[in-house]
């Protein structure tokens, strides 16, 4: 039996049963993974950060074949310059977009006029307040323990999420450190109404990445990530490898030079070919599971955590 | 009216009404602060990490005058060498000790034979498992967002706490990122049965430190800490100042050289005199409040968070 659907502002806005969002990982967040997530009752998201807009158009077409459930797209604003990505996203007829790595002033109004709800990804309170000024419908609040491109001054979810919650009214999707029902319950205790899973989805059986990378995540410890380029911008959280261990010693470097061969890592399985973006939750993920299994067990665990809290400490 | 007392393994072991533990900050965690915390129904703790054992003996005597509630002591094991601190602590007749920065093999059995419950502070799963091998009664699980001396590979509370929870059975006190009821509820959702507050207690009206430092905490943002000495040991999380901004650029340095004049910072109010140890929660603390007010409002907020979760998502 499926876990009970959640009713809150985020499920109302998006039409999903479960407010669990798959992170929009470049090249990875495409139809194979996103359709499995959407079909499980959660929110699959198609990326645009690869910049491969023609391929992405094909992926969106595949989504319409593979699922009749809601799905969304991410717009990495740093890649918007000189492209027609905003029009492109609007043409897909989707109803939910996350925006990141740039000012949401650029497109929030335009998306909203097309009937799309816009959640902007923020790593600090200041950036959350700026996004609210731009009129976004909600926020993805991303703690520094998460993988990928980060603010050079990382703030943990445990601090950032309640800080932004008490200063804002819009719905919040919590990201960073979340991979199961206990962490989802913790995020909801701090005021989130949804959660985003990156590393868990990256390493699931529906993810298209090479087994070498999935296995490295299953085998890694919670201390096996590094925080890179802290004196530069953007910073990154990645798995510790020979390459990233050397980069950790540099205060500043050009990260995109070390991402050029990312496809050799993602799909060729050469972990030294580029920087493997990964969150600290790699230390909590030990086995291959389907996206549907992750969504279902996260929801089951969420309800169990709440029941346990209520039984032990309820008034 | 006081919030309802909590009944769980930690309040049973320690005799407190509220499983909120004041962090054992060197020089600061003495009778003035610790008695205010104990008198509020939570757990005041006397430090030994200053190494000033004669002074500390006087502080413990003061505690017996200032409170008839339970209080505890911390033993920073790095300072135990060549001293009689273990016997000293046993002689104080207290029932609760946290141990940190060393192997709990050194003293756990001896404390337990004296009727003292021992919780060891751990920053990783490996160290938690080692502490369990030493037979500790519980763990203080300390996320990297917290202030003070840290493991050079910091792991956020959101990842570390549930990881250790699912691999162990003993009671856990969560530390790092916690300053109010919402964060306490989050920690309990992830399986903690107690929380430890450092920066919130450091900056409260019952804390003996200079107003300059308290005001800097009230005014600081969540991004205003730095993580120092990441290539060395121990690493530290501290407030960003001119000195710590420069130290941030060094991969490795000798931290104790920069702590020599710590009393000029703590009690003289010169923020550049040493490294001001502070957690990321400084961005959530904006005003002077008493220790009792912090404990009461944390408990009230904890119950409110649980009620809100149950009303919104309860089965």
């Amino acid at each position: 039996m499926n876990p009970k659907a959640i009713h809150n502002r985020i499920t109302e806005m998006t039409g999903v049963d479960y407010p669990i969002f798959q992170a929009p990982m470049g090249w990875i967040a495409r139809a194979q993974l996103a359709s499995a997530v959407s079909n499980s009752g959660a929110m699959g998201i198609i990326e645009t950060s690869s910049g491969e807009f023609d391929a992405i158009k094909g992926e969106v077409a595949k989504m319409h074949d593979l699922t009749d459930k809601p799905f969304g797209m991410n717009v990495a604003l740093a890649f918007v310059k000189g492209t027609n990505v905003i029009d492109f996203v609007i043409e897909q007829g989707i109803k939910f977009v996350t925006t990141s790595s740039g000012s949401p002033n650029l497109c929030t109004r335009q998306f909203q006029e097309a009937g799309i709800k816009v959640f902007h990804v923020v790593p600090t309170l200041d950036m959350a307040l700026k996004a609210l000024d731009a009129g976004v419908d909600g926020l993805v609040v991303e703690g520094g323990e998460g993988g990928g491109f980060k603010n050079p001054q990382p703030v943990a979810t445990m601090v950032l999420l309640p800080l932004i919650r008490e200063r804002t009214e819009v719905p919040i999707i919590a990201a960073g450190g979340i991979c199961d029902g206990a962490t989802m319950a913790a995020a909801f205790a701090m005021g989130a109404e949804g959660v985003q899973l990156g590393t868990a989805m990256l390493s699931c059986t529906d993810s298209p990445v090479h087994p070498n990378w999935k296995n490295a995540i299953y085998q890694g410890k919670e201390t096996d990530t590094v925080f890179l380029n802290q004196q530069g911008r953007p910073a990154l959280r990645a798995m510790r490898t020979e390459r990233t261990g050397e980069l950790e010693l540099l205060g500043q470097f050009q990260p995109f030079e070390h991402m050029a061969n990312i496809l050799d890592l993602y799909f060729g399985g050469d972990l030294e070919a580029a920087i493997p973006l990964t969150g600290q939750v790699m230390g909590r993920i030990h086995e291959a599971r389907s996206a549907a299994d992750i969504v279902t067990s996260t929801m089951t665990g969420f309800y169990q955590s709440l029941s346990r809290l209520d039984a032990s400490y309820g008034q």
Side-chain angles (χ1 to χ4, degrees), chain A:
Chain A
M1 205 180 95
N2 288 333
K4 193 178 70 167
I6 276 187
H7 295 286
N8 65 21
R9 292 186 293 175
I10 287 186
T11 58
E12 272 175 35
M13 279 182 178
T14 59
V16 296
D17 288 337
Y18 309 126
I20 298 173
F21 293 72
Q22 160 245 311
M25 301 161 284
W27 286 277
I28 299 165
R30 294 195 174 181
Q32 176 181 320
L33 175 58
S35 66
V37 175
S38 286
N39 282 329
S40 75
M43 180 63 95
I45 294 187
I46 300 290
E47 57 92 13
T48 62
S49 54
S50 64
E52 295 183 344
F53 298 121
D54 287 340
I56 289 160
K57 204 156 195 168
E59 296 295 317
V60 175
K62 280 188 211 165
M63 285 299 281
H64 291 298
D65 288 339
L66 294 170
T67 186
D68 54 6
K69 299 281 185 71
F71 67 93
M73 294 186 73
N74 171 253
V75 177
L77 295 161
F79 294 85
V80 166
K81 294 168 192 118
T83 73
N84 58 353
V85 59
I86 294 173
D87 294 335
F88 170 86
V89 168
I90 289 173
E91 286 161 16
Q92 308 314 314
I94 50 102
K95 299 294 172 204
F96 177 75
V97 157
T98 61
T99 55
S100 51
S101 64
S103 168
N105 277 314
L106 196 63
C107 57
T108 298
R109 197 55 51 89
Q110 205 178 334
F111 281 139
Q112 288 171 334
E113 282 168 4
I116 299 173
K117 297 289 183 189
V118 179
F119 278 51
H120 189 63
V121 180
V122 295
T124 64
L125 174 61
D126 282 348
M127 291 173 87
L129 298 178
K130 275 185 198 157
L132 292 183
D133 285 343
V136 297
D137 298 291
L139 298 168
V140 180
V141 171
E142 194 170 289
E145 53 269 69
F149 293 100
K150 313 300 291 178
N151 190 285
Q153 296 174 317
V155 182
T157 299
M158 198 82 171
V159 174
L160 185 65
L161 171 57
L163 176 68
I164 293 179
R165 174 72 296 159
E166 66 192 1
R167 292 287 301 276
T168 63
E169 300 289 341
V170 299
I172 291 176
I173 298 168
I178 297 158
C179 66
D180 66 353
T183 45
M184 179 176 172
F188 276 49
M190 294 188 283
E193 291 169 59
V195 291
Q196 180 175 288
L197 275 56
T199 305
M201 291 299 181
L202 159 67
S203 62
C204 79
T205 56
D206 296 293
S207 164
V209 306
H210 194 280
N212 286 0
W213 192 12
K214 294 184 188 180
N215 288 331
I217 290 171
Y218 304 150
Q219 288 156 22
K221 293 182 180 179
E222 80 280 18
T223 47
D224 285 343
T225 70
V226 287
F227 196 76
L228 303 175
N229 202 31
Q230 195 149 13
Q231 321 297 336
R233 184 172 284 270
L236 312 88
R237 185 175 295 284
M239 187 182 293
R240 183 181 295 280
T241 61
E242 200 169 320
R243 179 192 287 256
T244 62
E246 284 164 15
L247 291 173
E248 192 190 18
L249 303 177
L250 305 176
Q252 193 166 357
F253 62 89
Q254 173 43 263
F256 294 99
E257 286 175 11
H258 295 273
M259 299 305 271
N261 298 319
I262 190 72
L263 298 185
D264 293 339
L265 189 161
Y266 283 177
F267 305 108
D270 176 4
L271 291 179
E272 297 294 349
I275 297 174
L277 303 174
T278 323
Q280 289 186 344
V281 291
M282 70 181 278
R284 303 198 58 216
I285 297 167
H286 312 299
E287 58 184 357
R289 298 164 62 201
S290 69
D293 187 17
I294 292 169
V295 169
T296 302
S297 69
T298 296
M299 288 308 307
T300 305
F302 171 76
Y303 288 122
Q304 282 169 348
S305 293
L306 299 198
S307 298
R308 189 177 46 69
L309 278 177
D310 190 51
S312 300
Y313 305 109
Q315 297 275 28

